[in-house]
Amino acid sequence: MSGWLKIVGIGPGDGAMITPEVSQALEQATDIVGYVPYVTRVPARDGLTRHPSDNRVEIDRSRHALEMAAAGHRVVVVSSGDPGVFAMAAAVFETLEAGPAVWRDLDITVLPGITAMLAAAARAGAPLGHDFCTINLSDNMKPWKMIEKRLRLAVEADFAMAFYNPRSRSRPQGFGRVLELLRDACGPDRLIIFARAVSTPEETLKVITMAKATPEMADMRTMVIVGSSQTRRIERPNHRGAPFVYTPRSVPG
Amino acid sequence: MSGWLKIVGIGPGDGAMITPEVSQALEQATDIVGYVPYVTRVPARDGLTRHPSDNRVEIDRSRHALEMAAAGHRVVVVSSGDPGVFAMAAAVFETLEAGPAVWRDLDITVLPGITAMLAAAARAGAPLGHDFCTINLSDNMKPWKMIEKRLRLAVEADFAMAFYNPRSRSRPQGFGRVLELLRDACGPDRLIIFARAVSTPEETLKVITMAKATPEMADMRTMVIVGSSQTRRIERPNHRGAPFVYTPRSVPG
C-alpha cells in the first residue's frame, strides 16, 4: 500500500459546505489528524483511526501526519475552513522543509475548503466584492507592531478587510486597540460586520458602524469584516435580522 | 409557489469542488442565469431554463434574475469560483439597491464557493498561509492609478498578493507594468506563481522568481500569486513539476 497525505478544509461548520473531493478523502483515509473539534466532526468508522490533538501543537501534529504517510498510511490533516488560510497547510510545509529529505517524495496534496471569511461575506451579502486584504489579528506569531502597520496601510489602500482570530481569552486587549486604530483612520461611519459561528446552530450576524463597535462583539469564533470607504448597506425594512452589505465592483475615477 | 434567488459559486472548474448546498440549489432551480461558460456547466433537464449571457452584461443579468425571482421563479445566478470575489454577488446587490423597493423583500441568499485564489494556492502549497491581499488587476472598473497605489502599499505591508484578471486581449499592457513595479519594489528573487485553469484538463502551474516572470505567462484564465518577503520554496528533486511554495505562519519579531 502506498501512503499519501491530504491537507483538507472542512469549511466553517455545515456539512453542506464540504466539497465532494474532501468528503472522498475523508472516506479513503486510514488516519485523521487535527485539532480536537475538527477531528470530532469526522464520524468514526472501521479502518479509521482518529488522532485528535490540542490547539497550538501544529508542528507535532504535522510531524505525526508526515511520519504516518511515510509509513504507508493514507493520512488526512483536517482544518476548519480552508487549510491554506491561517490553518494547517503552512504548518505541514514548515515541518516538511525541516524534516528528512525522503518526505519530499511523499504524495502530498492540499484540498481547498470554504474559508470563514467567504462564508461570513456570503451571509452578509458581498462585502468583499472589490479588492480586500486578510489579516490574522493574533500576535502569537508576529509582532504587534506589524499588525498595526498592516492595518494602517490597508486603510490607506482602501481595502475591505477580513480579520481572523480577532480576540481570545489570552489576548483580550488587542482587538480594542484595533477598533480604536480603525475608528481613527476610517471614521465613525465605516461599516463593520461581526459574523459568529457561520453555518452552525450558534450563527449570529451583526452589521453596525465603527462608532458602535465594541471589543466584546468578537471572540475566537467570530469573523470580522470591515468595509472599504465604498462599502454600502441595503436596508430591508420587512426582514428580521441584518441588512445586506456589499462593496461595489467599480470605484469612480 | 414562492420564488427565491440564490447567488452561487461553482468553483474553479472541477465538479468535485462544488459544495453540496450549491449542487442542491442547482437541482431545485427553475432558472439558471450567468455567463455562457458557467451556465453551460449546469446540465440541461426538464423544468430548468438556462439563460446564458455574454460577458460584461452583469447588471442586465442581475435585473433579469431579480425580476424572475419576484415573479415566483427559483433562480440561481452562477459564478465561477466564489460569487463574492470579483463575481456576480456585488452586481446583484448593486442592481437590488437601485431597483424597486419590493425586491428587498425577496428571499435572496449567497452560497460561497471555492474561489480561484484558494484553488491555485492549494495546488502550489500554502503561499497564502500568512496575511495577504486580493486585487483585481483589471482597470475596467477603477482607475489604473489606484491599482498601482494598492500594489505599492501591499508591498510595503509585506502581504502575499493574489491577482485576479491579470491580463486580457483588451488590456495587454497593464500586467507588464505590474511586473515592473513589483520587480522594483520586491527585488528579483521574490517568488511568483502562475496557476492557469486550475482543476480543469488544461491546468498548468509555474513557480518562478520575479526576475524571470514575463507578461505572456498570464492570460484571463490565470491566477497570479506573489509571495511575501517570507515566502519559501521547497524543492522536490524526484518530482516532476513544481516545487511546493508556502508562507510561514510566523514572522520574526
Side-chain angles (χ1 to χ4, degrees):
Chain A
M1 190 179 77
S2 182
W4 47 248
L5 175 59
K6 296 190 200 292
I7 309 160
V8 313
I10 54 174
D14 183 351
M17 288 194 201
I18 302 178
T19 66
E21 68 175 12
V22 167
S23 295
Q24 189 183 36
L26 295 172
E27 284 158 20
Q28 294 173 340
T30 57
D31 298 84
I32 308 267
V33 174
Y35 180 38
V36 183
Y38 311 143
V39 169
T40 311
R41 281 175 53 194
V42 181
R45 61 171 163 77
D46 281 351
L48 177 70
T49 309
R50 297 185 296 176
H51 307 270
S53 48
D54 208 352
N55 213 345
R56 302 213 186 170
V57 293
E58 289 85 358
I59 298 299
D60 294 342
R61 187 189 292 154
S62 298
R63 193 179 304 116
H64 185 207
L66 286 158
E67 284 166 353
M68 287 194 291
H73 295 225
R74 298 188 298 272
V75 183
V76 170
V77 174
V78 287
S79 288
S80 75
D82 179 271
V85 178
F86 310 126
M88 281 301 297
V92 172
F93 289 113
E94 284 168 44
T95 312
L96 176 69
E97 190 180 20
V102 62
W103 280 356
R104 299 184 184 204
D105 297 336
L106 290 172
D107 176 6
I108 301 174
T109 48
V110 180
L111 303 184
I114 302 294
T115 187
M117 132 184 106
L118 297 184
R123 285 298 201 261
L128 304 178
H130 190 77
D131 301 339
F132 64 94
C133 68
T134 307
I135 301 178
N136 185 345
L137 290 186
S138 165
D139 62 347
N140 289 336
M141 311 278 269
K142 66 189 163 201
W144 180 259
K145 279 202 172 314
M146 176 176 282
I147 295 176
E148 292 197 342
K149 180 181 175 188
R150 286 180 175 162
L151 292 171
R152 286 184 212 286
L153 291 166
V155 171
E156 193 182 339
D158 203 17
F159 285 130
M161 294 170 249
F163 299 139
Y164 285 74
N165 303 319
R167 191 159 170 269
S168 73
R169 257 170 291 185
S170 63
R171 299 179 290 106
Q173 302 304 330
F175 186 56
R177 290 156 70 185
V178 168
L179 288 179
E180 232 169 274
L181 185 159
L182 292 175
R183 210 156 16 225
D184 282 355
C186 306
D189 298 330
R190 185 66 60 96
L191 292 173
I192 180 168
I193 298 163
F194 294 88
R196 186 171 186 278
V198 167
S199 89
T200 78
E202 295 85 42
E203 174 174 327
T204 59
L205 183 70
K206 187 194 290 282
V207 175
I208 54 173
T209 59
M210 200 62 82
K212 294 187 181 147
T214 64
E216 297 70 34
M217 291 175 181
D219 65 11
M220 278 309 275
R221 298 186 72 192
T222 309
M223 187 74 220
V224 178
I225 297 178
V226 174
S228 77
S229 70
Q230 303 296 307
T231 302
R232 302 177 61 80
R233 168 158 49 184
I234 307 177
E235 298 299 341
R236 308 173 80 196
N238 300 329
H239 265 261
R240 283 176 307 145
F244 286 127
V245 180
Y246 78 98
T247 306
R249 300 162 304 150
S250 61
V251 178
Chain B
M1 190 180 76
S2 183
W4 47 248
L5 175 60
K6 294 189 199 295
I7 310 160
V8 313
I10 54 173
D14 183 351
M17 287 192 201
I18 302 179
T19 66
E21 68 175 11
V22 167
S23 295
Q24 189 183 37
L26 295 171
E27 284 158 20
Q28 294 173 341
T30 57
D31 298 84
I32 308 268
V33 174
Y35 180 39
V36 183
Y38 311 143
V39 169
T40 311
R41 281 175 54 194
V42 181
R45 60 171 163 78
D46 282 352
L48 176 69
T49 308
R50 296 186 297 177
H51 307 269
S53 48
D54 208 353
N55 213 346
R56 302 212 188 171
V57 294
E58 289 85 358
I59 298 299
D60 294 343
R61 187 189 292 153
S62 298
R63 193 179 305 115
H64 185 205
L66 286 158
E67 284 166 355
M68 287 194 292
H73 295 225
R74 298 189 298 271
V75 183
V76 170
V77 174
V78 287
S79 289
S80 75
D82 179 271
V85 178
F86 310 126
M88 281 302 295
V92 172
F93 289 113
E94 284 168 43
T95 312
L96 177 71
E97 190 180 19
V102 62
W103 281 357
R104 299 184 184 204
D105 298 336
L106 290 172
D107 175 7
I108 300 174
T109 47
V110 181
L111 303 184
I114 302 294
T115 187
M117 134 183 105
L118 297 185
R123 286 298 201 259
L128 305 178
H130 190 77
D131 301 339
F132 64 94
C133 68
T134 306
I135 300 179
N136 185 345
L137 290 186
S138 165
D139 61 347
N140 289 337
M141 310 279 267
K142 66 188 163 200
W144 179 259
K145 280 203 171 311
M146 177 175 281
I147 296 176
E148 293 198 342
K149 180 181 175 187
R150 286 180 176 163
L151 291 171
R152 286 184 212 286
L153 291 166
V155 171
E156 194 182 339
D158 202 17
F159 285 131
M161 294 169 248
F163 299 140
Y164 285 74
N165 303 318
R167 192 161 169 268
S168 73
R169 259 171 290 184
S170 63
R171 298 178 291 106
Q173 302 304 331
F175 186 56
R177 291 155 70 185
V178 168
L179 289 179
E180 234 169 88
L181 185 160
L182 292 175
R183 211 156 17 225
D184 281 356
C186 307
D189 298 331
R190 184 66 60 94
L191 292 174
I192 180 167
I193 298 162
F194 294 88
R196 186 172 186 278
V198 166
S199 89
T200 77
E202 295 86 42
E203 174 173 328
T204 59
L205 182 70
K206 187 194 289 281
V207 175
I208 54 173
T209 59
M210 200 61 83
K212 294 188 180 143
T214 64
E216 297 70 33
M217 291 175 181
D219 65 10
M220 279 308 275
R221 296 186 72 191
T222 309
M223 188 73 220
V224 178
I225 297 177
V226 174
S228 76
S229 69
Q230 303 295 307
T231 302
R232 301 177 62 80
R233 166 157 53 182
I234 307 177
E235 299 299 342
R236 309 174 78 195
N238 301 328
H239 266 259
R240 284 175 308 144
F244 286 128
V245 180
Y246 78 98
T247 305
R249 300 162 303 149
S250 61
V251 178

